[in-house]
């Protein structure tokens, strides 16, 4: 593994940093980007959409996309450098993240020439924001159990059913979704991958409020909603293969960022709050717990670098994806739990106090961290994958 950056890569980093310093509006900077992937309201959403458009004009959206589709054909390492600088600048997650990271790359592989020319450029510019309609009330981990039905109506499909946990659907212009087009086929067959204009008659979006008060995701209902047949992606009834392409991109990006900044904030907290009249930091057990978290962050960092090295060498992804997803999301929960031990009663406060100025941020972290053990494949599912595919354990 080579830890050094080349002079060209260092120059690229400076270019990104300079551009962000000059162009990122300060009021768009976020405190904790992990919890702000979906804007809290329409006004902030539209501000972020304008930011995406400005980034697109600067040539910074879809860095890894091929040039023919409006990307920059950047190398993986340039993508990593860009992400580091973007995080350092506290810039918000782009509202078009689902389109850029999931739907766009899937269309490049499976879309018709018309679908590519109609959608890809608008995904980058932010003119079209996409959401992902996979999960349903009875289909999450076992996605192939989905029941939303797309019946043949001639030139179009007639969509009936319900999606749930659809992140950002309240702001989205389009949804990529899975629906059953042949109810008599075995469950992984007879599914098709469709593109739905969210303004279609018969589509109702109902936001769901998380326990941190944020309406991150939604229920989406379809009642005789029509989808033109030209919006079928890939072959009819073979949408499962198309869906797997999207999931591959989702898992490829699901390693998650490091928790180093959380641990540094935890250290600041330990210096500020008091236990039995003394700063918490003066207790040996507190420092030991903090040291353990720092060690785990380093271990995750090198696992991430090992995974990156494999990708740079063109070796197929190993088990690191599931290991990082499982370890990272569970570490986030443990860090938040330790924060509650340090905060005591302050953990319940949603307002800043002189003793704990960032109490609301910690409260949000405590309430939000668990969602990452569910989204993108639950911890139990990751353990199954590691157990069965990596350790060769018998199927449970
Ligand atoms: C923040 C967030 C954002 C999301 N955004 C989207 C989105 O934009 N679009 C979308 O389509 N979906 C989205 N999801 C849904 C997400 O993909 C599902 O919640 C997830 O796949 C789990 O499915 P489920 O909720 O139906 O739970 P279930 O699959 O019903 O699981 C319930 C429990 O049973 C366990 N379990 C299930 N099967 C097994 C097994 N075989 N072995 C052991 N344990 C098992 C699970 O681990 C879990 O603890 C989002 C979820 C979250 C939390």
């Amino acid at each position: 593994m080579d830890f050094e950056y080349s002079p060209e890569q260092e120059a690229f980093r400076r270019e990104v940093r300079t551009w962000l310093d000059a162009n990122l509006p300060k009021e768009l900077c976020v405190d904790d980007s992990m919890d702000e992937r979906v804007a809290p309201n329409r006004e902030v959403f539209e501000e972020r959409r304008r930011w995406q458009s400005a980034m697109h004009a600067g040539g910074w959206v879809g860095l890894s996309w091929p040039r023919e589709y409006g990307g920059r054909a950047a190398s993986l390492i340039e993508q990593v450098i860009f992400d580091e600088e973007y995080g350092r600048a506290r810039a918000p997650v782009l509202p078009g993240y689902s389109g850029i990271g999931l739907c766009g790359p899937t269309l490049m592989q499976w879309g018709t020439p018309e679908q590519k020319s109609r959608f890809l450029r608008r995904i980058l510019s932010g003119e079209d924001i996409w959401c992902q309609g996979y999960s349903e009330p009875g289909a999450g981990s076992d996605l192939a159990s989905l029941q939303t039905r797309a019946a043949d109506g001639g030139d179009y499909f007639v969509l009936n059913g319900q999606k749930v946990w659809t992140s950002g659907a309240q702001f989205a212009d389009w949804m990529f979704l899975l629906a059953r087009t042949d109810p008599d086929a075995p469950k992984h067959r007879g599914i098709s991958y469709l593109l739905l204009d969210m303004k279609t008659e018969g589509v109702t979006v109902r936001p769901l409020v998380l326990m941190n008060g944020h309406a991150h995701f939604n229920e989406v209902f379809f009642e005789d909603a029509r989808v033109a047949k030209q919006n079928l992606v890939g072959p009819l009834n073979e949408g499962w293969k198309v869906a797997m392409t999207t999931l591959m991109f989702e898992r490829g990006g699901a390693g998650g960022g490091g928790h180093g900044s959380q641990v540094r904030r935890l250290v600041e907290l330990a210096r500020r709050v008091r236990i039995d009249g003394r700063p918490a930091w003066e207790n040996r057990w507190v420092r030991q717990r903090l040291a353990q978290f720092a060690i785990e962050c380093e271990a995750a960092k090198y696992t991430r670098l090992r995974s990156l090295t494999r990708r740079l060498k063109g070796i197929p992804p190993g088990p690191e994806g599931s290991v990082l997803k499982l370890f990272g999301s569970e570490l986030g929960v443990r860090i938040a739990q330790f924060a509650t031990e340090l905060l005591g009663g302050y953990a319940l406060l949603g307002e800043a106090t002189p003793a704990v100025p960032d109490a609301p941020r910690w409260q949000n972290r405590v309430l939000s961290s668990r969602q990452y053990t569910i989204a993108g494949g639950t911890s139990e599912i990751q353990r199954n994958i590691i157990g069965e595919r990596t350790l060769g354990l018998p199927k449970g």
Side-chain angles (χ1 to χ4, degrees):
M1 201 187 294
D2 183 2
F3 295 100
E4 299 296 319
Y5 291 104
S6 70
E8 295 76 33
Q9 288 161 355
E10 290 295 358
F12 178 73
R13 182 186 295 283
R14 279 194 300 279
E15 189 189 345
V16 176
R17 191 174 289 194
T18 308
W19 192 86
L20 286 173
D21 283 350
N23 292 282
L24 174 63
K26 291 286 161 283
E27 63 276 12
L28 281 190
C29 292
V30 291
D31 195 30
D32 200 342
S33 65
M34 279 173 91
D35 300 326
E36 309 226 14
R37 285 167 300 156
V38 174
N41 55 52
R42 171 66 66 175
E43 197 185 328
V44 174
F45 168 77
E46 292 299 345
E47 280 172 12
R48 291 188 187 171
R49 200 205 284 256
R50 283 193 288 279
W51 165 237
Q52 181 169 333
S53 159
M55 278 187 58
H56 178 243
W60 296 109
V61 185
L63 231 56
S64 59
W65 280 32
R67 286 189 200 283
E68 61 176 310
Y69 300 131
R72 217 176 158 114
S75 66
L76 188 54
I77 201 81
E78 284 175 330
Q79 179 73 59
V80 169
I81 291 171
F82 180 85
D83 291 345
E84 282 174 4
E85 289 302 313
Y86 199 76
R88 190 198 63 89
R90 298 195 298 117
V93 173
L94 292 180
Y97 70 93
S98 269
I100 300 163
L102 307 180
C103 183
T106 305
L107 286 179
M108 284 176 215
Q109 196 163 323
W110 291 94
T112 60
E114 293 73 31
Q115 287 168 345
K116 290 177 190 173
S117 72
R118 179 168 175 207
F119 293 116
L120 290 178
R121 194 198 57 79
R122 292 173 65 89
I123 286 178
L124 293 186
S125 67
E127 284 160 273
D128 290 337
I129 299 297
W130 289 75
C131 61
Q132 179 180 22
Y134 276 22
S135 306
E136 297 184 5
S141 305
D142 183 14
L143 183 58
S145 297
L146 62 95
Q147 293 300 323
T148 290
R149 177 90 171 90
D152 194 333
D155 292 340
Y156 50 83
F157 297 102
V158 183
L159 207 57
N160 279 288
Q162 185 199 339
K163 296 292 172 183
V164 74
W165 317 131
T166 322
S167 302
Q170 69 269 50
F171 305 125
D173 304 295
W174 285 84
M175 172 189 279
F176 55 97
L177 67 93
L178 299 176
R180 203 160 280 290
T181 33
D182 180 356
D184 300 322
K187 77 176 183 181
H188 290 86
R189 309 241 176 88
I191 290 173
S192 296
Y193 194 104
L194 304 175
L195 309 176
L196 169 77
D197 183 340
M198 293 296 279
K199 289 186 288 301
T200 306
E201 200 177 317
V203 177
T204 309
V205 177
R206 210 160 65 190
L208 290 167
V209 181
L210 285 161
M211 63 179 163
N212 64 3
H214 182 24
H216 175 97
F217 40 44
N218 304 263
E219 294 176 298
V220 183
F221 300 89
F222 312 117
E223 287 167 285
D224 293 331
R226 291 181 177 192
V227 179
K229 284 203 170 155
Q230 70 215 37
N231 289 341
L232 167 71
V233 182
L236 183 70
N237 295 329
E238 290 185 33
W240 190 251
K241 289 186 199 156
V242 189
M244 287 305 107
T245 304
T246 311
L247 281 182
M248 197 184 72
F249 290 115
E250 190 165 11
R251 293 198 178 136
H259 291 286
S261 65
Q262 298 295 335
V263 175
R264 281 191 291 280
R265 282 180 189 257
L266 213 47
V267 170
E268 286 166 30
L269 187 69
R271 290 188 191 281
R272 187 178 276 273
V273 294
R274 301 177 87 78
I275 295 177
D276 297 333
R278 290 159 49 210
W281 175 258
E282 288 180 15
N283 290 282
R284 190 178 298 169
W285 65 270
V286 170
R287 292 199 303 277
Q288 272 170 354
R289 293 281 292 276
L290 291 169
Q292 184 60 35
F293 283 135
I295 290 166
E296 292 180 31
C297 284
E298 283 297 287
K301 180 175 136 189
Y302 288 106
T303 308
R304 216 169 15 251
L305 289 174
R306 201 149 39 91
S307 159
L308 179 63
T309 305
R310 280 180 79 103
R311 289 170 69 196
L312 287 171
K313 289 183 178 164
I315 304 171
E320 295 91 352
S322 285
V323 171
L324 282 166
K325 164 77 172 68
L326 175 64
F327 186 76
S329 54
E330 297 286 337
L331 177 61
V333 173
R334 285 188 288 117
I335 287 174
Q337 272 169 353
F338 187 58
T340 61
E341 287 180 47
L342 292 178
L343 285 162
Y346 290 115
L348 302 173
L349 287 182
E351 283 177 22
T353 67
V356 192
D358 61 349
R361 209 195 64 86
W362 279 115
Q363 190 197 58
N364 186 43
R365 187 110 292 278
V366 169
L367 296 178
S368 304
S369 57
R370 204 164 284 281
Q371 61 180 285
Y372 299 103
T373 66
I374 302 169
T378 67
S379 288
E380 289 76 17
I381 295 299
Q382 304 307 326
R383 287 191 185 97
N384 284 352
I385 293 172
I386 296 166
E388 287 164 18
R389 296 195 205 151
T390 310
L391 303 176
L393 299 176
K395 248 180 169 342

